[in-house]
Amino acid sequence: MKLFARPNSFSEAMKSVIYFNNVLGLRTFEYPRGRPRPLLSLIYFLIIYAIFCGGISNMERYFVNVSLLKLEYILYLITTYIYIVSVILKMILGWWHSKQIAVCYKKIFEIDKTLRELGLTINYDKIYFTTIGIVAAWVVVIIIFIITGLFYMRSRADILTAIYILFVTLLSLSIDYINMFEFCIFARCLQTKFESINHLLHETIRNLSADETKLGTFELKDYTKLMDFEQQKNILSTKIISEWRQRFYSASNFILRKHSPVTSQIEMHIPFQIKKEIQNKLRNRSHENISATKRENHKHLLQIMKQMHLELCEISRIICSSFGVQTSWEIGVVILFIIQTLYSYYNRYIVRLQIAPVEDTILSTLVCFVDIFKIIALSRACKDAADEGNKTVELIHVTYGCNTDIDTQEEMQQFGLQILQSPVVFCVFGLPLDNHILSMILKTVTTYMVIMIQVSSSLESNSNIKDLHF
């Protein structure tokens, strides 16, 4: 696939993210294409993790002379071990769930194929250029961060220590961001699929409403003609009409219409009402056949949409299962980092009244804002996808009232019950990924900040505990 060519599938649109995951050791890479290499991928990410752990030890030697408060030292120590566990945990889970993610790509490809057969256009240009833009921007940030970090640490550490520290920081940040970003892209993709299903349901509602309107108009006209026919004074009885029909059919079976004068005489004496009645019956049969065909088409389309909706719900569950531990862990790490940053600001500017380096304050604040934005983007994407998936129930109720066919109504009831029994929900370990995450983070950070300030005062006043260094 060329760099800026239009992607034909979701997997092609996510190529840059897939390659980035392979470089970080989060996925099982394939060589050649379509043939996974799990053992080689495991060896690869273990080598990367060993280099990461070596960088952690160099970071501890770099900050050995930094004096910290007692509780602040404990926080930094806990955060260091959490980052060590976080990286290995996300690498193992990413490697372990590679097969499930591949299944999701395959299911989405099959759904796209079905939607194309139904006449819908599938466009992944937005997702494709978004992923390329984000990955390219992150590469630029990495380059700037490396240049700035080497320039900043050139007088404090040797070049090998500086490279190790930068590698540890960039690897942990990249793994954190790529997991959340991939989760968001999957949620946005599912949202577009639910929108396509809702669009098909909306078109079905319009077609059913038009069919019902046409059917009602036809029946009204037919009823008016019948009443006019009965009110005529010279109307023939049913017996006479049947006799004229028998004569006409017997004559037409044995004598050619063009060459027989008898037939023409019979046709001349056939009442106009009989001809009209025969034409009406033919029209009724044709209309009934067309209506039956349309009902079958609507029923078949509902069955297809029900199956696609079920597949999308299954994909959402697989995604939540594959990214659940990483996402919940990342939310906890974000909360811990915000608490640590705020507590560090409290010690610097309130307790010690120190003037901290401006670049440290700006960098910590920027990372906090990026973490919060990351959580907001994830919760928003999951909420929009869940709302769009559950919106299908409302459209089904509207469609139910527009159709009088019993089989189609039964199919709609089953479709609605399927969504009500298994609604579209994005959650990890019982925590719904919606707008309530921010309020939960705010409450947790506020509560633990109050507790830590109180505990810190008692620890600093305790002379039995000596001052600590990182």
Side-chain angles (χ1 to χ4, degrees):
M1 177 182 174
K2 296 180 180 179
L3 181 59
F4 294 107
R6 173 170 291 184
N8 295 321
S9 63
F10 181 61
S11 58
E12 290 183 358
M14 293 285 287
K15 277 296 182 184
S16 57
V17 179
I18 293 173
Y19 291 149
F20 202 65
N21 275 320
N22 292 337
V23 171
L24 294 175
L26 296 175
R27 290 285 181 271
T28 300
F29 56 82
E30 298 178 356
Y31 184 80
R33 186 176 180 181
R35 188 173 180 181
R37 305 285 184 176
L39 184 59
L40 294 178
S41 301
L42 178 63
I43 295 173
Y44 173 72
F45 90 71
L46 287 177
I47 293 173
I48 293 178
Y49 185 71
I51 299 173
F52 173 80
C53 293
I56 290 290
S57 61
N58 280 276
M59 185 179 290
E60 292 179 355
R61 288 196 299 268
Y62 178 77
F63 291 106
V64 69
N65 295 321
V66 178
S67 179
L68 302 174
L69 295 177
K70 297 167 184 177
L71 187 57
E72 192 176 7
Y73 171 80
I74 296 173
L75 273 179
Y76 273 109
L77 197 62
I78 293 175
T79 304
T80 302
Y81 288 118
I82 284 178
Y83 276 123
I84 294 175
V85 176
S86 177
V87 171
I88 187 64
L89 180 67
K90 292 176 181 179
M91 282 184 167
I92 292 176
L93 290 175
W95 172 80
W96 182 259
H97 292 296
S98 296
K99 189 175 181 180
Q100 294 184 359
I101 298 298
V103 170
C104 291
Y105 282 120
K106 185 177 180 181
K107 286 180 177 290
I108 292 175
F109 177 79
E110 295 295 332
I111 292 173
D112 290 340
K113 183 179 178 181
T114 305
L115 291 174
R116 287 191 178 98
E117 291 177 353
L118 293 175
L120 293 181
T121 303
I122 308 299
N123 190 352
Y124 285 111
D125 291 349
K126 185 177 180 181
I127 293 178
Y128 177 61
F129 289 110
T130 300
T131 55
I132 288 182
I134 294 296
V135 172
W138 184 245
V139 172
V140 172
V141 169
I142 289 175
I143 295 173
I144 296 175
F145 186 81
I146 291 175
I147 296 174
T148 306
L150 291 175
F151 179 78
Y152 178 73
M153 291 187 294
R154 71 184 189 281
S155 59
R156 304 184 183 182
D158 59 290
I159 186 66
L160 186 60
T161 303
I163 291 175
Y164 266 139
I165 293 173
L166 292 175
F167 176 80
V168 167
T169 306
L170 290 174
L171 181 64
S172 59
L173 291 177
S174 299
I175 290 176
D176 293 341
Y177 292 152
I178 197 66
N179 270 301
M180 303 292 275
F181 178 66
E182 191 174 7
F183 198 169
C184 289
I185 294 297
F186 266 106
R188 291 299 180 187
C189 177
L190 294 179
Q191 180 186 352
T192 58
K193 303 308 167 192
F194 286 126
E195 288 175 353
S196 300
I197 294 177
N198 293 336
H199 175 72
L200 287 174
L201 271 175
H202 184 70
E203 292 296 324
T204 304
I205 293 172
R206 291 200 323 180
N207 294 334
L208 288 174
S209 301
D211 292 341
E212 292 293 329
T213 304
K214 291 179 181 178
L215 181 60
T217 304
F218 177 81
E219 291 175 349
L220 182 61
K221 290 180 179 179
D222 187 64
Y223 177 76
T224 304
K225 292 178 181 180
L226 182 60
M227 292 301 293
D228 292 339
F229 178 74
E230 290 179 352
Q231 290 175 1
Q232 292 179 1
K233 294 180 180 180
N234 297 325
I235 186 173
L236 297 175
S237 63
T238 307
K239 184 177 179 180
I240 298 175
I241 293 173
S242 61
E243 291 178 356
W244 279 107
R245 285 178 181 172
Q246 291 176 1
R247 291 180 184 179
F248 172 73
Y249 289 136
S250 61
S252 60
N253 287 332
F254 295 100
I255 305 172
L256 293 174
R257 186 172 299 180
K258 292 183 180 180
H259 302 284
S260 178
V262 179
T263 305
S264 60
Q265 290 179 4
I266 294 174
E267 290 180 351
M268 290 175 60
H269 289 85
I270 292 178
F272 174 73
Q273 289 84 354
I274 297 177
K275 294 181 180 180
K276 202 169 185 180
E277 185 179 354
I278 295 172
Q279 293 176 358
N280 287 336
K281 286 190 175 182
L282 293 175
R283 290 177 183 175
N284 286 336
R285 288 181 181 178
S286 177
H287 181 77
E288 289 175 358
N289 292 333
I290 294 174
S291 299
T293 304
K294 288 184 177 180
R295 287 195 295 267
E296 285 296 324
N297 291 336
H298 291 318
K299 181 180 177 181
H300 183 61
L301 181 61
L302 281 172
Q303 291 174 348
I304 294 174
M305 287 188 288
K306 182 175 70 173
Q307 184 63 31
M308 285 193 298
H309 198 283
L310 184 64
E311 291 291 333
L312 290 174
C313 292
E314 181 66 23
I315 293 173
S316 66
R317 286 191 288 269
I318 294 175
I319 294 302
C320 290
S321 174
S322 301
F323 293 97
V325 177
Q326 299 95 310
T327 303
S328 57
W329 185 276
E330 183 61 24
I331 292 173
V333 170
V334 168
I335 293 174
L336 181 62
F337 183 78
I338 294 175
I339 293 174
Q340 176 186 336
T341 303
L342 293 178
Y343 183 72
S344 178
Y345 290 168
Y346 169 78
N347 289 328
R348 288 178 181 178
Y349 301 112
I350 297 177
V351 176
R352 295 183 175 183
L353 298 177
Q354 293 179 347
I355 301 177
V358 178
E359 57 272 13
D360 291 348
T361 303
I362 294 176
L363 181 61
S364 300
T365 307
L366 183 61
V367 172
C368 287
F369 277 114
V370 171
D371 287 339
I372 294 173
F373 175 77
K374 181 172 58 177
I375 300 298
I376 293 175
L378 177 64
S379 61
R380 188 64 183 175
C382 294
K383 184 179 183 302
D384 291 343
D387 291 343
E388 193 66 35
N390 296 321
K391 182 183 176 182
T392 311
V393 178
E394 302 175 3
L395 294 175
I396 290 173
H397 288 314
V398 176
T399 312
Y400 186 86
C402 296
N403 199 310
T404 57
D405 183 59
I406 297 177
D407 294 336
T408 307
Q409 287 183 347
E410 183 179 356
E411 198 67 37
M412 292 178 185
Q413 287 179 349
Q414 294 178 1
F415 196 179
L417 288 174
Q418 171 185 300
I419 300 175
L420 292 176
Q421 292 176 356
S422 180
V424 184
V425 177
F426 289 87
C427 63
V428 289
F429 297 102
L431 177 65
L433 299 176
D434 51 18
N435 296 333
H436 297 290
I437 294 182
L438 291 178
S439 60
M440 183 269 294
I441 292 176
L442 180 61
K443 292 177 183 178
T444 305
V445 170
T446 304
T447 302
Y448 280 95
M449 275 298 298
V450 173
I451 295 174
M452 288 175 61
I453 291 173
Q454 295 175 351
V455 172
S456 178
S457 301
S458 60
L459 283 176
E460 294 300 325
S461 60
N462 191 350
S463 58
N464 294 326
I465 302 177
K466 299 179 180 180
D467 292 336
L468 300 174
H469 297 275
F470 191 85

